[in-house]
Amino acid sequence: MKEFEVLVTGRMMPLVMEQLESRFTLHKLQEAADRDAFLAEVGPRIKAVATGGHVRTDGALLSRLPNVGIVANFGVGYDSVDAGWAGQHGVVVTNTPDVLTEEVADTCLGLLLMTVRELSASERYLRAGRWEKDGPYPLTHNTLRGKTVGILALGRIGKAIATRCEAFGLTVVYHGRSEQKGVPYRYYPTLVGMAQASDILISVAPGGQDTFHIIDAEVLRALGPKGVLINIGRGTVVDEGALINALQNKVIAGAGLDVFEKEPHVPPELIAMDHVVLLPHVGSASHHTRNLMGQLVVDNIVSFLSGKGPITPVAETPWPPKR
């Protein structure tokens, strides 16, 4: 299959690079000294693109690749790819669902426990020598006992989180674009309504224009002064300015965040707060899971270019294409 030429838009894990280089003629956009000249030369020959959230793969880029057939995205979220443009121009977009579901759900429950039980703060207390000097860490005001968790976006990962929450004895409710059949959890048609009914709001929502800042000041007020926000989905879903204000003024009790609006930048106001747990976007960050994700990127490209079609096309670019 060396007759096919593939473009990589940015840094990719060795597993992906090695396999693509062994099968195809590989071009690395990030190494081009003159991007425009590079695309003018190789663009018409590109049949597939491997990309990730670190690079915007939009219509402006894809239009320089008139013969591209597939964009394989590393990650379940693909808001950095203009899937709408791709669908309108006959280009299929794939992502990496399922293989990271359990890892992200595990991370979410760890983040939830760290936030509600102040485990990060209590560890810092111990490491600072305060246990011996000042006595036991103060009793935490919050607990998981008797709480209701509201999940925003009950997809694959949301359902895996819900299952784990049930095992912890939590009541689960959810909000999404529509009510799902066969789901044993109560559905709330509005996010504000679900926030009012929840003690803990967990966001698994993807990024993009449709979800931008949907967790805003009104939602945080509805969550209330004992409420906790956990975001394991995309940082752009939360209005960070409103969140900082809510945390500083005790509109909500705390937050656990694995994602941020302008990664890798984290607002210093969040870093300064003890009642906030911050992780550097590590939801799926194990060798085991990232290798599975990388392999799925490769497998999607190989399957498509061999004429078998994509393995995991996204909703905007179904396969076979709708006529």
Side-chain angles (χ1 to χ4, degrees):
M1 298 176 71
K2 277 284 189 178
E3 71 271 19
F4 292 116
E5 300 191 31
V6 175
L7 179 70
V8 177
T9 62
R11 181 172 53 86
M12 281 279 182
M13 61 190 305
L15 179 151
V16 175
M17 298 299 290
E18 291 166 7
Q19 291 196 48
L20 291 179
E21 283 183 312
S22 71
R23 290 176 166 89
F24 311 107
T25 300
L26 197 63
H27 300 281
K28 303 170 185 177
L29 182 61
Q30 71 274 24
E31 295 181 2
D34 185 331
R35 179 183 170 114
D36 286 336
F38 172 79
L39 289 172
E41 178 187 351
V42 307
R45 306 198 302 269
I46 297 299
K47 298 294 185 180
V49 173
T51 191
H54 50 280
V55 177
R56 178 69 183 162
T57 308
D58 55 15
L61 173 59
L62 295 176
S63 65
R64 304 291 299 275
L65 316 173
N67 295 302
V68 69
I70 181 173
V71 176
N73 181 70
F74 182 92
V76 67
Y78 54 93
D79 45 299
S80 61
V81 179
D82 192 339
W85 187 97
Q88 292 169 9
H89 292 82
V91 180
V92 67
V93 176
T94 63
N95 63 343
T96 59
D98 296 322
V99 294
L100 51 63
T101 296
E102 304 302 325
E103 200 81 82
V104 175
D106 289 346
T107 303
C108 182
L109 265 292
L111 184 56
L112 173 60
L113 285 168
M114 290 170 70
T115 305
V116 170
R117 293 301 318 283
E118 302 177 18
L119 299 183
S120 295
S122 62
E123 186 196 24
R124 291 193 295 271
Y125 185 91
L126 180 151
R127 288 181 181 274
R130 296 188 60 190
W131 187 13
E132 187 172 3
K133 177 184 175 182
D134 300 329
Y137 184 81
L139 300 180
T140 58
H141 291 285
N142 230 329
T143 177
L144 292 182
R145 306 282 61 81
K147 301 296 186 180
T148 295
V149 170
I151 298 178
L152 171 59
L154 196 72
R156 295 177 179 91
I157 296 172
K159 289 183 173 70
I161 292 169
T163 299
R164 286 160 172 76
C165 286
E166 286 185 292
F168 275 78
L170 296 163
T171 299
V172 176
V173 299
Y174 76 101
H175 168 72
R177 285 175 292 184
S178 59
E179 185 172 3
Q180 300 183 34
K181 295 180 180 179
V183 171
Y185 315 119
R186 180 174 176 178
Y187 172 72
Y188 281 85
T190 68
L191 180 53
V192 169
M194 185 182 75
Q196 289 175 331
S198 301
D199 303 291
I200 300 157
L201 172 57
I202 296 178
S203 176
V204 202
Q209 292 183 348
D210 290 344
T211 61
F212 184 74
H213 283 189
I214 60 172
I215 298 179
D216 56 12
E218 182 183 11
V219 172
L220 295 171
R221 284 194 300 270
L223 187 57
K226 294 183 179 180
V228 170
L229 171 68
I230 304 294
N231 191 4
I232 198 79
R234 278 290 185 267
T236 54
V237 172
V238 177
D239 181 339
E240 279 187 357
L243 175 61
I244 289 168
N245 181 70
L247 289 163
Q248 289 175 336
N249 293 288
K250 299 183 180 180
V251 174
I252 64 172
L257 309 172
D258 183 48
V259 290
F260 303 89
E261 191 167 341
K262 297 178 181 178
E263 296 178 4
H265 173 71
V266 179
E269 296 92 339
L270 290 175
I271 293 174
M273 298 184 204
D274 249 2
H275 57 310
V276 181
V277 178
L278 308 170
L279 301 179
H281 203 153
V282 295
S284 64
S286 71
H287 286 293
H288 169 83
T289 296
R290 290 292 173 85
N291 285 342
L292 291 174
M293 293 166 65
Q295 189 62 56
L296 190 49
V297 169
V298 174
D299 291 348
N300 266 298
I301 292 175
V302 171
S303 180
F304 183 86
L305 293 181
S306 65
K308 298 177 183 177
I311 299 170
T312 54
V314 303
E316 293 91 337
T317 62
W319 193 267
K322 293 179 179 179
R323 300 298 182 186

